[in-house]
Amino acid sequence: MFDRFNENKNCLIKIEFDGTVLDALEGEMVASVLMAAGIMNFRDAPVSNTPRGPYCMMGVCFECLVEIDGVGHQQACLVPVRSGMSIKREKAKRLISDDLVC
Amino acid sequence: MTLCVDVVIIGAGPAGMSASNMIHEYGGRAVILDEQSEPGGQIYKAIDRVMRDRPNELSWLGSAYHDGARLTKKFRSQAKDYQPGSMVWHIECRNLDGLYNIFYSQAGVSKKIETKYIVIATGAMERPVPIPGWTLPGVMTVGAVQSVLKNSGMYPSGKLVLAGAGPLVLQLASQLIGAGISILAILDTSPKGSFLKALRHFPRALFAGDYLYKGWNLTNKIMQSNIKVYRNVTELNASGDGRLQNLSFKVNETKHCLKADTLALHEGILPNVQLTRLLDLEHVWSPRQRSFSPVVNSWGETSLSGVFVVGDGAGVSGARTAEYSGAIAGIIILERLEYIKESQRDLIIEDRKFRRLLDEGIRPFLDTLFPAPERIGEVPDKTIICRCEEITAAEIREVVKKGCSGPNQAKAFLRCGMGICQGRMCGTSVTEVMSKALEKKPADVGAFRVRPPIKPLSLEEIVTLNDN
Amino acid sequence: MTSDFIVIGGGLVGAAVSYGLLKLGATVTILDEGDTAFRASRGNFGLVWVQSKGDGMHEYATWSRESSDLWPNFAELLVEETGINVGHHRPGGLELCLDEAEYMDFENSINRMHNQPNVAENGRRMISGDEVRRMEPSVGPEVVGASYCPYDGIVNPLYTLRALHQKCIESGLIYRPDHEVKKIIPQIRGFKIITNEGYFLSDKVILAAGNGNKALGEFVGLDIPTGPERGHIVVTERTSPLFNYVLGAIRQTDEGTVMLGATKENVGFDSGFNFEMAAKIIDKAVRKIPALKKLRMIRSWSALRIMSPDGFPIYEESSNFPGAFVITCHSGVTLAAAHALKLAPELLGNDFNGKFNAFSPKRFDVR
């Protein structure tokens, strides 16, 4: 869990995480915004199904992977927020089977 | 239509920015590809935005951080081909014409660029610190907490514990103290007697005396605060139900337990070798820093002509040395492209080399004061080494018993290092664990091979690459 | 150090043969190269494949089918002996065709193989695009048909190698990695093998060193006309189970990753990565299975196959130096069961060349 030093600032950017609207400031990374909202559990590990969250915050550990606007496996620590972003928690193995029947 | 350029610099930290600044200073041009959305690298992360939006935070983020603005200002004004958000995923050597193809991805679209020279300035990463329970959400690195602090002006709001050893631990603690954020405890893992051993290197360190002064100040600040500091900490364990809740550790055979929400680990930093391994360059093991780094000459060039590695990626030496090395590589390239004369080149190089020599004076002292941990090869059996594929130290030791002789065979037998992080998080630890189990030197054990792409990308992106 | 057999090469061929020999009570030493040697056994695709094997040599078709039939029990044996599940499945295989020419090629191959005398029937038949899509709903509209064979299967080749190594070592194998063989000296009785780490003695020596065999063969009067052929493989992230069948160059592992293959290049001893090749593999794969587009590629590699002039295995005991054998093929996975359970016992007998007459390299002299 993280807090902002300056909560008074106008958080002009709204993003969505699994249906919940979160406030963010320009320049903040998706991972930071989730953690500031108390979300530490970003995804389930594919082997043991146990929860994982950010470890390195610099793009090397691949623990903060989330789905952003329909694209899976995005490193939330490297992606700055954009207004209207829709973010989803990732399950252990991504399902692409819904798209399979052509 | 592929773009062909003179120079591509990969990374916009102190080394990359400095190379770019030098090249542009004398009329050259370089394309800068950086994974992050702003220049500064890890050390000067978000410096420009902090100055613009949160200038009051600069006082406790510190002068070393503020110093980065000097580089970013020049960099932004000169580097017209700076491309933030560009993730390089493959470099191809072309044998026919000696050029290099660089493949990179921007916002989900991949492109290719041809270049004569490459400056790899991809810096370092923190040494992954395998301890039991380190995959729990809430267990992070010291650098990670600092990164959130710089980038987003946020701090851990619950019970925070810092554990490990190294200048970065002191720096983060001091920043948090300055910001009025409470730290529950600092667990110092540096072995007894390090200070006495380090004194031997004190005279040389005086040539970079400002570091000593800063370090002294940081240490004082922590001692004057009422943060509980445990020294000689061993057997650190993290546990909890779905997130970090409890820590246990030993101090001189006495067991201690703490409740914690965030644990920030740190045991020094390692060169980021993904690109240099991908290029199959020769790497050497540094027993002092316990890490592999690519072999480069005094101006940063590797065994591949035209490929330079500068900054911490060529061996950890800090931001200022990185800046000098970046400038040296830049000036060599300028001369080869005939922007400047040889005599002019040598003058600038001598100046930067001299300053670099003074700056590097602190390294032996620091590396002895905060020695790279030897215990990673001896972590408890149940500790997860490969976080992606969840392979424990016990499993690695077991295949060694059954004849497995190196990291690449272990990868094949266990899937260790085959996961989504592509071996970044377990590579060094696998070498360490196998080194102990095989009773061989890490240098002889070797390391994982690195294959493209060095970061995952969608199959669609590759199929459409040639359309871009 | 003396043993009944020295096996040069610790890949799938050497390990399978050693496994069989140790089971029969022989003493075996494997001399292997180091961690970064060219290793076909670490770079292969993991098919236990029948349908395309033996077009032009019916004995090879029969041998492949025999191994495929041995595999279920072999896999069970390995899990009992080592606890390692090598992930063998035999769901049947589909080779998807993207155009009529490819379809015709497969159809012709079926006819040729069917007409070979004494060939083991493999149940292979051509099926239409619509039937393929009924069997495998993920197949895209560009696919015009497929060659289907019910005996095709898959196995995890890395776990197979690990299980073989583990069982061999538990059965008394002397395993020596980082031992590069410099020279083989035939003795009055047996062989002296010189390595960079000293010499070893044995009654018999087996060359199972893949592309290294060619040079080693010269020491014991064996002419082994093999060469390297580079293949690329691309691997994706893990995903939920996608397929009912094995799709030739597209296979999903038990872990959920999808492997895409396979290219053929003659580039000598170079296991480097060629981006154009990877792009070709991916392009074909997403045309066959469009949903794959969404998956992320996490790794790729290339490895060197061991190809004989006709693509079939070479098995031979040296006539000048009896007791020296060569065993080489590019299907170390498919044939692992046969090598362990059928071929190894013949190494202890006295009519090896009689049993494997068809696989003798003498077939290349005929012309």
Side-chain angles (χ1 to χ4, degrees), chain A residues 2-21:
Chain A
F2 281 68
D3 272 341
R4 286 188 181 79
F5 283 113
N6 199 341
E7 290 289 0
N8 304 329
K9 279 210 176 125
N10 285 332
C11 290
L12 297 173
I13 296 176
K14 308 270 180 212
I15 63 169
E16 212 183 277
F17 179 76
D18 282 346
T20 310
V21 176

Side-chain angles (χ1 to χ4, degrees), chain B residues 417-465:
Chain B
M418 275 193 193
I420 195 88
C421 91
Q422 300 160 307
R424 286 170 172 82
M425 296 303 287
C426 66
T428 313
S429 306
V430 168
T431 298
E432 292 271 19
V433 170
M434 295 193 82
S435 158
K436 278 277 179 317
L438 288 161
E439 295 173 16
K440 272 163 80 170
K441 287 187 186 137
D444 299 329
V445 171
F448 288 144
R449 278 188 174 167
V450 171
R451 305 296 186 127
I454 65 160
K455 284 218 167 179
L457 68 166
S458 76
L459 297 185
E460 190 164 27
E461 208 175 317
I462 294 176
V463 173
T464 54
L465 177 105

Side-chain angles (χ1 to χ4, degrees), chain C residues 78-89:
Chain C
L78 287 175
V79 80
E80 271 169 33
E81 290 171 341
T82 64
I84 297 167
N85 178 0
V86 297
H88 177 260
H89 309 280

Side-chain angles (χ1 to χ4, degrees), chain B residues 233-402:
Chain B
V233 167
T234 56
E235 297 182 36
L236 178 60
N237 273 262
S239 61
D241 184 14
R243 67 182 177 90
L244 171 69
Q245 289 168 315
N246 303 301
L247 292 176
S248 71
F249 55 93
K250 274 189 178 170
V251 176
N252 304 329
E253 297 310 306
T254 312
K255 195 174 170 181
H256 295 263
C257 292
L258 290 175
K259 295 230 174 286
D261 299 302
T262 306
L263 170 65
L265 297 165
H266 182 79
E267 292 290 352
I269 61 180
L270 313 167
N272 181 352
V273 293
Q274 293 300 113
L275 277 175
T276 52
R277 285 275 181 204
L278 174 73
L279 287 167
D280 217 7
L281 300 174
E282 193 192 334
H283 286 67
V284 284
W285 174 262
S286 155
R288 214 173 58 196
Q289 299 194 338
R290 297 199 81 82
S291 58
F292 284 106
S293 55
V295 176
V296 297
N297 63 19
S298 69
W299 58 84
E301 195 163 13
T302 66
S303 53
L304 275 177
S305 161
V307 176
F308 296 76
V309 187
V310 294
D312 280 353
V316 172
S317 290
R320 272 202 325 226
T321 287
E323 198 180 319
Y324 302 138
S325 300
I328 292 169
I331 207 81
I332 294 277
I333 292 170
L334 279 169
E335 193 272 329
R336 289 205 197 153
L337 291 169
E338 299 179 357
Y339 281 97
I340 58 167
K341 294 196 181 66
E342 219 179 293
S343 54
Q344 207 177 352
R345 176 195 76 180
D346 293 345
L347 220 61
I348 301 172
I349 286 183
E350 285 318 310
D351 167 70
R352 295 306 196 282
K353 277 193 179 167
F354 180 67
R355 289 202 250 169
R356 183 170 71 179
L357 186 69
L358 292 184
D359 190 66
E360 282 173 335
I362 193 72
R363 274 296 129 190
F365 180 76
L366 275 185
D367 289 344
T368 321
L369 185 60
F370 305 110
E374 285 181 37
R375 64 176 183 280
I376 285 179
E378 294 157 352
V379 292
D381 268 348
K382 64 174 178 182
T383 317
I384 286 178
I385 297 291
C386 167
R387 296 169 63 106
C388 300
E389 296 292 327
E390 303 191 30
I391 306 302
T392 63
E395 288 172 274
I396 296 168
R397 289 169 186 147
E398 187 59 29
V399 291
V400 167
K401 267 188 218 151
K402 299 281 158 59

Side-chain angles (χ1 to χ4, degrees), chain B residues 389 409 418 422 452 457, chain C residues 36 42 238 297-300:
Chain B
E389 296 292 327
Q409 189 82 325
M418 275 193 193
Q422 300 160 307
L457 68 166
Chain C
T36 52
R42 281 202 315 234
R238 292 174 188 240
M297 165 180 179
I298 59 170
R299 195 169 52 252
S300 67

